[in-house]
Amino acid sequence: DIEVSPFYYIWAKYTVLKYRYGIDQNLVGRMFGISLYNIKMNEFNLTGRKKFQPAEILEDTIYSNQSPYLSQVPCSWGALYFPEIWREFHYYLTARLTDVFGPKLQQIEIPESKSNRWSRSWKRYFIELAYLRGYVMLYPNYENSTSFSTNYAEKGVHYKGVNKTSLLLPLMEEDILLEGLPDGHLPNFNYLPTMDLWGILVSPEELILRGRKLHSEISRCPPGDLNKLTYDPQDLLCVDNPNPNPSNEDI
């Protein structure tokens, strides 16, 4: 139920070259991907979905209303994921599902997030990882929510198809890719606004601190060096051994 804009590849390539291979490449270690879709609804409030307009959030701030932005929300409606963090997520997801459907030794919940209830969605677990690590995704933010992908909200496992316009966005059909960016180009990474799961402007440092706090609460292994990214989830998954002195029958 996804359709992409004729300009989706240009957006993806431009952003990858800018941030993964440009002068900012040493700053983007916590960016897990590039979204083609602009968020229209915020799904993380405990009270239910709320309309999300990034241009309104950025109004009267130091950022341009139409600046691309970083968000902890993973996009599943057209996106490019980077291999390091996707590989880390693969290992994290395997371990989490093994525990959820097995011994249930670890209880991981994002504070005040509705995603904790998404028992059948992979995004629940990616959100856990993103929150714990302070990871973010880059989102487009063109005028009128013009996007590089759109969702027709067809009925399926995770969506009942009741309101088909709730996720529909206008596709970029004419080349306004540069024209619609602040000053006609992508901002440097340090000048991108950052938002948390609830669409609130925060600093990247705040996201990292929140994640490290939760890390300390759910894992016996302490958070590692702030400046060293291993892309290995083992430190998040340390739990007490339920059988510290196993008998011969347990071995």
Side-chain angles (χ1 to χ4, degrees), residues 59-78:
E59 193 171 358
D60 298 324
T61 69
I62 62 173
Y63 305 105
S64 165
N65 289 6
Q66 305 306 147
S67 173
Y69 60 94
L70 300 169
S71 170
Q72 290 198 289
V73 179
C75 178
S76 58
W77 300 324

Side-chain angles (χ1 to χ4, degrees), residues 26-70:
N26 294 325
L27 305 175
V28 301
R30 295 183 191 272
M31 186 168 74
F32 59 80
I34 307 290
S35 177
L36 305 179
Y37 184 87
N38 191 1
I39 301 172
K40 186 176 182 180
M41 303 289 292
N42 186 286
E43 303 179 283
F44 297 91
N45 294 282
L46 294 177
T47 55
R49 287 182 172 183
K50 294 185 178 180
K51 289 184 178 180
F52 177 73
Q53 291 290 342
E56 294 180 2
I57 295 170
L58 297 177
E59 193 171 358
D60 298 324
T61 69
I62 62 173
Y63 305 105
S64 165
N65 289 6
Q66 305 306 147
S67 173
Y69 60 94
L70 300 169

Side-chain angles (χ1 to χ4, degrees), residues 64-185:
S64 165
N65 289 6
Q66 305 306 147
S67 173
Y69 60 94
L70 300 169
S71 170
Q72 290 198 289
V73 179
C75 178
S76 58
W77 300 324
L80 171 66
Y81 283 81
F82 298 142
E84 307 88 359
I85 295 176
W86 186 256
R87 183 168 53 247
E88 181 182 10
F89 171 61
H90 174 82
Y91 292 131
Y92 179 84
L93 178 63
T94 301
R96 286 286 288 123
L97 291 179
T98 299
D99 183 60
V100 167
F101 295 105
K104 296 179 173 59
L105 300 177
Q106 202 169 26
Q107 183 72 21
I108 301 177
E109 290 196 349
I110 306 304
E112 303 297 319
S113 177
K114 194 175 181 180
S115 61
N116 297 318
R117 306 174 188 172
W118 299 351
S119 60
R120 302 176 67 183
S121 175
W122 64 269
K123 288 171 71 174
R124 168 187 173 178
Y125 300 100
F126 200 104
I127 289 160
E128 289 178 4
L129 179 63
Y131 187 95
L132 286 162
R133 294 294 199 216
Y135 290 159
V136 291
M137 174 171 254
L138 180 73
Y139 278 83
N141 181 25
Y142 287 87
E143 192 172 356
N144 299 321
S145 299
T146 300
S147 188
F148 297 98
S149 69
T150 192
N151 186 344
Y152 289 104
E154 295 177 355
K155 187 176 181 180
V157 173
H158 300 297
Y159 192 74
K160 304 306 179 184
V162 177
N163 184 357
K164 291 184 175 292
T165 63
S166 64
L167 303 175
L168 193 65
L169 293 177
L171 288 173
M172 185 180 290
E173 300 289 357
E174 298 181 1
D175 187 1
I176 59 166
L177 196 150
L178 294 179
E179 177 186 330
L181 292 171
D183 300 320
H185 60 81

